[in-house]
Amino acid sequence: MNKKEPRADGHIDVENHGAVLVARIDGGPHALFDAALTKQLKELVDRADRDPNIHAVVFTGTHPDRFLSHSDVTWLQQGGVGFPPINTRIAGIVSRMARLINKVPIVRTLAGMTRLKTLLQFDSFHATFLKMNASGTHLCRGTQWLSACRWRGIRLGV
């Protein structure tokens, strides 16, 4: 039997159906939202935002039992190793710094080669969900994903 090997990182396959894109999210055997999916989601949201011919994006998952289980935060944990603990005031300053760095491509590229890489990835992840959700609420995963996509109701089994 020729069985398909599960992907090591998440992946989004996008099909173009005229004015509608269908995004099939493959979070692997455990349906995890990981750093690879974060990057691909940003690219997809930016593409849909730039192209006036795209009127809708339909998100679906490849897992047979669930859309997404939860976020795989291993990349955040690994990226945070070696950094000293900080309080919420310093965290706010660091967050604003990452936002500014991400706005300047050459600085972002250079900083991305340092230990700041994970911080910049997290800021990009946050900015993508803010872009998906005009209300400005920080959203992620599952039901919150639906809200970020502006779905007004949820019907299981549809």
Side-chain angles (χ1 to χ4, degrees):
M1 186 167 138
N2 195 358
K3 197 172 171 181
K4 184 180 174 187
E5 290 293 316
R7 294 179 180 273
D9 292 325
H11 183 73
I12 302 176
D13 287 317
V14 180
E15 298 171 9
N16 191 335
H17 295 272
V20 177
L21 299 179
V22 175
R24 297 187 192 291
I25 299 173
D26 180 353
H30 301 292
L32 298 175
F33 190 84
D34 62 13
L37 283 174
T38 298
K39 182 176 186 259
Q40 293 170 55
L41 178 63
K42 179 188 182 325
E43 292 166 0
L44 176 59
V45 169
D46 288 347
R47 173 183 170 190
D49 200 40
R50 279 190 316 271
D51 188 342
N53 296 317
I54 297 174
H55 295 235
V57 178
V58 176
F59 291 97
T60 186
T62 60
H63 195 281
D65 299 323
R66 64 187 75 81
F67 178 61
L68 290 170
S69 296
H70 57 83
S71 289
D72 179 0
V73 294
T74 305
W75 62 279
L76 280 175
Q77 293 168 328
Q78 291 169 345
V81 170
F83 279 97
I86 58 175
N87 61 34
T88 54
R89 184 172 140 306
I90 300 297
I93 292 168
V94 169
S95 177
R96 286 189 293 280
M97 180 184 72
R99 196 171 315 120
L100 291 172
I101 289 171
N102 269 335
K103 290 181 179 182
V104 183
I106 188 72
V107 177
R108 179 181 59 234
T109 300
L110 293 172
M113 294 181 218
T114 71
R115 294 177 63 203
L116 294 174
K117 177 181 177 180
T118 303
L119 178 63
L120 300 176
Q121 289 173 328
F122 185 74
D123 177 68
S124 179
F125 171 62
H126 182 248
T128 298
F129 274 97
L130 289 177
K131 194 172 194 178
M132 289 173 68
N133 183 355
S135 74
T137 305
H138 178 100
L139 300 170
C140 56
R141 305 179 310 274
T143 305
Q144 296 164 338
W145 176 294
L146 298 175
S147 178
C149 295
R150 298 180 188 205
W151 290 17
R152 298 296 181 235
I154 302 170
R155 275 187 57 198
L156 299 177
V158 175

PDB file of all heavy atoms in Angstrom, residues 4 7 11 18 20-21 23-24 33 51-52 64 69 74 83 112 116 127 146 153 156-157:
ATOM      1  N   LYS A   4       0.534   8.027   1.921  1.00  0.00           N
ATOM      2  CA  LYS A   4       1.110   9.375   1.883  1.00  0.00           C
ATOM      3  C   LYS A   4       1.757   9.682   3.234  1.00  0.00           C
ATOM      4  O   LYS A   4       1.147   9.531   4.284  1.00  0.00           O
ATOM      5  CB  LYS A   4       0.005  10.397   1.575  1.00  0.00           C
ATOM      6  CG  LYS A   4       0.517  11.800   1.419  1.00  0.00           C
ATOM      7  CD  LYS A   4      -0.618  12.735   1.123  1.00  0.00           C
ATOM      8  CE  LYS A   4      -0.129  14.157   1.112  1.00  0.00           C
ATOM      9  NZ  LYS A   4      -1.209  15.122   0.997  1.00  0.00           N
ATOM     10  N   ARG A   7       3.262  15.507   6.454  1.00  0.00           N
ATOM     11  CA  ARG A   7       4.204  16.616   6.323  1.00  0.00           C
ATOM     12  C   ARG A   7       4.829  16.918   7.681  1.00  0.00           C
ATOM     13  O   ARG A   7       4.192  16.802   8.709  1.00  0.00           O
ATOM     14  CB  ARG A   7       3.485  17.874   5.837  1.00  0.00           C
ATOM     15  CG  ARG A   7       2.949  17.762   4.446  1.00  0.00           C
ATOM     16  CD  ARG A   7       2.239  19.083   4.101  1.00  0.00           C
ATOM     17  NE  ARG A   7       1.688  19.057   2.787  1.00  0.00           N
ATOM     18  CZ  ARG A   7       2.357  19.392   1.679  1.00  0.00           C
ATOM     19  NH1 ARG A   7       3.587  19.764   1.761  1.00  0.00           N
ATOM     20  NH2 ARG A   7       1.773  19.343   0.514  1.00  0.00           N
ATOM     21  N   HIS A  11       1.031  23.091   5.898  1.00  0.00           N
ATOM     22  CA  HIS A  11       1.025  23.558   4.514  1.00  0.00           C
ATOM     23  C   HIS A  11      -0.384  24.007   4.129  1.00  0.00           C
ATOM     24  O   HIS A  11      -1.370  23.420   4.571  1.00  0.00           O
ATOM     25  CB  HIS A  11       1.480  22.431   3.585  1.00  0.00           C
ATOM     26  CG  HIS A  11       1.578  22.852   2.163  1.00  0.00           C
ATOM     27  ND1 HIS A  11       2.586  23.681   1.696  1.00  0.00           N
ATOM     28  CD2 HIS A  11       0.786  22.595   1.107  1.00  0.00           C
ATOM     29  CE1 HIS A  11       2.398  23.895   0.414  1.00  0.00           C
ATOM     30  NE2 HIS A  11       1.312  23.245   0.031  1.00  0.00           N
ATOM     31  N   GLY A  18     -11.918  31.163  -9.867  1.00  0.00           N
ATOM     32  CA  GLY A  18     -12.388  32.484 -10.279  1.00  0.00           C
ATOM     33  C   GLY A  18     -12.169  33.500  -9.181  1.00  0.00           C
ATOM     34  O   GLY A  18     -11.047  33.752  -8.759  1.00  0.00           O
ATOM     35  N   VAL A  20     -12.999  33.188  -6.165  1.00  0.00           N
ATOM     36  CA  VAL A  20     -12.915  32.513  -4.871  1.00  0.00           C
ATOM     37  C   VAL A  20     -11.662  31.654  -4.804  1.00  0.00           C
ATOM     38  O   VAL A  20     -11.360  30.904  -5.723  1.00  0.00           O
ATOM     39  CB  VAL A  20     -14.165  31.623  -4.638  1.00  0.00           C
ATOM     40  CG1 VAL A  20     -14.057  30.861  -3.319  1.00  0.00           C
ATOM     41  CG2 VAL A  20     -15.436  32.451  -4.676  1.00  0.00           C
ATOM     42  N   LEU A  21     -10.927  31.783  -3.703  1.00  0.00           N
ATOM     43  CA  LEU A  21      -9.797  30.905  -3.436  1.00  0.00           C
ATOM     44  C   LEU A  21     -10.225  29.895  -2.383  1.00  0.00           C
ATOM     45  O   LEU A  21     -10.887  30.262  -1.409  1.00  0.00           O
ATOM     46  CB  LEU A  21      -8.599  31.688  -2.909  1.00  0.00           C
ATOM     47  CG  LEU A  21      -7.995  32.758  -3.813  1.00  0.00           C
ATOM     48  CD1 LEU A  21      -6.820  33.436  -3.107  1.00  0.00           C
ATOM     49  CD2 LEU A  21      -7.555  32.167  -5.141  1.00  0.00           C
ATOM     50  N   ALA A  23      -8.621  27.467   0.315  1.00  0.00           N
ATOM     51  CA  ALA A  23      -7.368  27.198   1.020  1.00  0.00           C
ATOM     52  C   ALA A  23      -7.547  25.958   1.882  1.00  0.00           C
ATOM     53  O   ALA A  23      -8.336  25.957   2.821  1.00  0.00           O
ATOM     54  CB  ALA A  23      -6.980  28.393   1.872  1.00  0.00           C
ATOM     55  N   ARG A  24      -6.818  24.890   1.531  1.00  0.00           N
ATOM     56  CA  ARG A  24      -6.869  23.631   2.286  1.00  0.00           C
ATOM     57  C   ARG A  24      -5.675  23.601   3.238  1.00  0.00           C
ATOM     58  O   ARG A  24      -4.534  23.523   2.809  1.00  0.00           O
ATOM     59  CB  ARG A  24      -6.847  22.443   1.346  1.00  0.00           C
ATOM     60  CG  ARG A  24      -8.044  22.407   0.438  1.00  0.00           C
ATOM     61  CD  ARG A  24      -8.109  21.123  -0.384  1.00  0.00           C
ATOM     62  NE  ARG A  24      -9.091  21.223  -1.422  1.00  0.00           N
ATOM     63  CZ  ARG A  24     -10.402  21.268  -1.254  1.00  0.00           C
ATOM     64  NH1 ARG A  24     -10.903  21.223  -0.040  1.00  0.00           N
ATOM     65  NH2 ARG A  24     -11.224  21.361  -2.277  1.00  0.00           N
ATOM     66  N   PHE A  33      -1.472  24.246  14.122  1.00  0.00           N
ATOM     67  CA  PHE A  33      -1.150  25.500  13.454  1.00  0.00           C
ATOM     68  C   PHE A  33       0.266  25.848  13.866  1.00  0.00           C
ATOM     69  O   PHE A  33       0.533  26.132  15.025  1.00  0.00           O
ATOM     70  CB  PHE A  33      -2.151  26.579  13.875  1.00  0.00           C
ATOM     71  CG  PHE A  33      -2.037  27.821  13.046  1.00  0.00           C
ATOM     72  CD1 PHE A  33      -2.688  27.906  11.830  1.00  0.00           C
ATOM     73  CD2 PHE A  33      -1.287  28.897  13.477  1.00  0.00           C
ATOM     74  CE1 PHE A  33      -2.586  29.043  11.050  1.00  0.00           C
ATOM     75  CE2 PHE A  33      -1.175  30.039  12.712  1.00  0.00           C
ATOM     76  CZ  PHE A  33      -1.833  30.111  11.488  1.00  0.00           C
ATOM     77  N   ASP A  51      -5.331  41.660  -4.514  1.00  0.00           N
ATOM     78  CA  ASP A  51      -5.997  41.325  -5.774  1.00  0.00           C
ATOM     79  C   ASP A  51      -7.491  41.660  -5.718  1.00  0.00           C
ATOM     80  O   ASP A  51      -8.256  40.988  -5.035  1.00  0.00           O
ATOM     81  CB  ASP A  51      -5.810  39.833  -6.067  1.00  0.00           C
ATOM     82  CG  ASP A  51      -6.286  39.427  -7.439  1.00  0.00           C
ATOM     83  OD1 ASP A  51      -7.065  40.184  -8.072  1.00  0.00           O
ATOM     84  OD2 ASP A  51      -5.885  38.337  -7.888  1.00  0.00           O
ATOM     85  N   PRO A  52      -7.924  42.692  -6.453  1.00  0.00           N
ATOM     86  CA  PRO A  52      -9.342  43.074  -6.412  1.00  0.00           C
ATOM     87  C   PRO A  52     -10.262  42.030  -7.058  1.00  0.00           C
ATOM     88  O   PRO A  52     -11.473  42.080  -6.877  1.00  0.00           O
ATOM     89  CB  PRO A  52      -9.377  44.391  -7.200  1.00  0.00           C
ATOM     90  CG  PRO A  52      -8.175  44.342  -8.086  1.00  0.00           C
ATOM     91  CD  PRO A  52      -7.147  43.541  -7.354  1.00  0.00           C
ATOM     92  N   PRO A  64      -9.347  14.633   8.944  1.00  0.00           N
ATOM     93  CA  PRO A  64     -10.694  14.067   8.851  1.00  0.00           C
ATOM     94  C   PRO A  64     -11.618  14.414  10.025  1.00  0.00           C
ATOM     95  O   PRO A  64     -12.842  14.368   9.875  1.00  0.00           O
ATOM     96  CB  PRO A  64     -10.451  12.560   8.786  1.00  0.00           C
ATOM     97  CG  PRO A  64      -9.103  12.351   9.405  1.00  0.00           C
ATOM     98  CD  PRO A  64      -8.315  13.604   9.118  1.00  0.00           C
ATOM     99  N   SER A  69      -6.372  21.754  15.671  1.00  0.00           N
ATOM    100  CA  SER A  69      -6.426  21.371  17.086  1.00  0.00           C
ATOM    101  C   SER A  69      -6.042  22.543  17.970  1.00  0.00           C
ATOM    102  O   SER A  69      -6.791  22.959  18.835  1.00  0.00           O
ATOM    103  CB  SER A  69      -5.471  20.215  17.375  1.00  0.00           C
ATOM    104  OG  SER A  69      -5.852  19.081  16.680  1.00  0.00           O
ATOM    105  N   THR A  74       6.023  25.242  19.743  1.00  0.00           N
ATOM    106  CA  THR A  74       7.404  24.794  19.928  1.00  0.00           C
ATOM    107  C   THR A  74       8.385  25.817  19.381  1.00  0.00           C
ATOM    108  O   THR A  74       9.416  26.104  19.998  1.00  0.00           O
ATOM    109  CB  THR A  74       7.617  23.431  19.234  1.00  0.00           C
ATOM    110  OG1 THR A  74       6.639  22.512  19.722  1.00  0.00           O
ATOM    111  CG2 THR A  74       9.002  22.888  19.481  1.00  0.00           C
ATOM    112  N   PHE A  83      16.770  33.897  26.399  1.00  0.00           N
ATOM    113  CA  PHE A  83      16.388  35.277  26.677  1.00  0.00           C
ATOM    114  C   PHE A  83      16.025  35.406  28.149  1.00  0.00           C
ATOM    115  O   PHE A  83      15.395  34.517  28.721  1.00  0.00           O
ATOM    116  CB  PHE A  83      15.180  35.694  25.829  1.00  0.00           C
ATOM    117  CG  PHE A  83      15.539  36.095  24.426  1.00  0.00           C
ATOM    118  CD1 PHE A  83      15.427  35.185  23.386  1.00  0.00           C
ATOM    119  CD2 PHE A  83      16.000  37.370  24.140  1.00  0.00           C
ATOM    120  CE1 PHE A  83      15.774  35.540  22.096  1.00  0.00           C
ATOM    121  CE2 PHE A  83      16.341  37.742  22.854  1.00  0.00           C
ATOM    122  CZ  PHE A  83      16.227  36.822  21.824  1.00  0.00           C
ATOM    123  N   GLY A 112      16.216  39.321  11.121  1.00  0.00           N
ATOM    124  CA  GLY A 112      15.767  37.941  10.984  1.00  0.00           C
ATOM    125  C   GLY A 112      16.907  36.932  11.031  1.00  0.00           C
ATOM    126  O   GLY A 112      16.669  35.738  11.186  1.00  0.00           O
ATOM    127  N   LEU A 116      16.384  37.662  17.168  1.00  0.00           N
ATOM    128  CA  LEU A 116      15.103  38.365  17.107  1.00  0.00           C
ATOM    129  C   LEU A 116      14.128  37.702  16.128  1.00  0.00           C
ATOM    130  O   LEU A 116      12.970  38.080  16.060  1.00  0.00           O
ATOM    131  CB  LEU A 116      15.312  39.824  16.701  1.00  0.00           C
ATOM    132  CG  LEU A 116      16.066  40.689  17.692  1.00  0.00           C
ATOM    133  CD1 LEU A 116      16.328  42.061  17.094  1.00  0.00           C
ATOM    134  CD2 LEU A 116      15.292  40.792  18.996  1.00  0.00           C
ATOM    135  N   ALA A 127      -0.009  40.335  13.289  1.00  0.00           N
ATOM    136  CA  ALA A 127      -0.449  41.311  12.287  1.00  0.00           C
ATOM    137  C   ALA A 127      -1.365  40.671  11.243  1.00  0.00           C
ATOM    138  O   ALA A 127      -2.325  41.298  10.779  1.00  0.00           O
ATOM    139  CB  ALA A 127       0.755  41.947  11.601  1.00  0.00           C
ATOM    140  N   LEU A 146     -12.546  31.419  12.915  1.00  0.00           N
ATOM    141  CA  LEU A 146     -13.802  31.698  12.224  1.00  0.00           C
ATOM    142  C   LEU A 146     -14.206  33.154  12.416  1.00  0.00           C
ATOM    143  O   LEU A 146     -14.638  33.822  11.481  1.00  0.00           O
ATOM    144  CB  LEU A 146     -14.912  30.776  12.738  1.00  0.00           C
ATOM    145  CG  LEU A 146     -14.687  29.293  12.516  1.00  0.00           C
ATOM    146  CD1 LEU A 146     -15.803  28.497  13.182  1.00  0.00           C
ATOM    147  CD2 LEU A 146     -14.576  28.955  11.060  1.00  0.00           C
ATOM    148  N   GLY A 153     -21.655  32.649  12.246  1.00  0.00           N
ATOM    149  CA  GLY A 153     -22.233  31.508  12.962  1.00  0.00           C
ATOM    150  C   GLY A 153     -21.433  30.275  12.665  1.00  0.00           C
ATOM    151  O   GLY A 153     -20.671  30.215  11.721  1.00  0.00           O
ATOM    152  N   LEU A 156     -21.695  22.834  13.186  1.00  0.00           N
ATOM    153  CA  LEU A 156     -20.812  21.658  13.135  1.00  0.00           C
ATOM    154  C   LEU A 156     -21.387  20.634  12.175  1.00  0.00           C
ATOM    155  O   LEU A 156     -22.590  20.483  12.038  1.00  0.00           O
ATOM    156  CB  LEU A 156     -20.658  21.050  14.521  1.00  0.00           C
ATOM    157  CG  LEU A 156     -20.035  21.991  15.542  1.00  0.00           C
ATOM    158  CD1 LEU A 156     -20.005  21.323  16.902  1.00  0.00           C
ATOM    159  CD2 LEU A 156     -18.646  22.392  15.124  1.00  0.00           C
ATOM    160  N   GLY A 157     -20.508  19.944  11.490  1.00  0.00           N
ATOM    161  CA  GLY A 157     -20.939  18.898  10.570  1.00  0.00           C
ATOM    162  C   GLY A 157     -21.354  19.380   9.216  1.00  0.00           C
ATOM    163  O   GLY A 157     -21.907  18.631   8.418  1.00  0.00           O
TER     164      GLY A 157
END
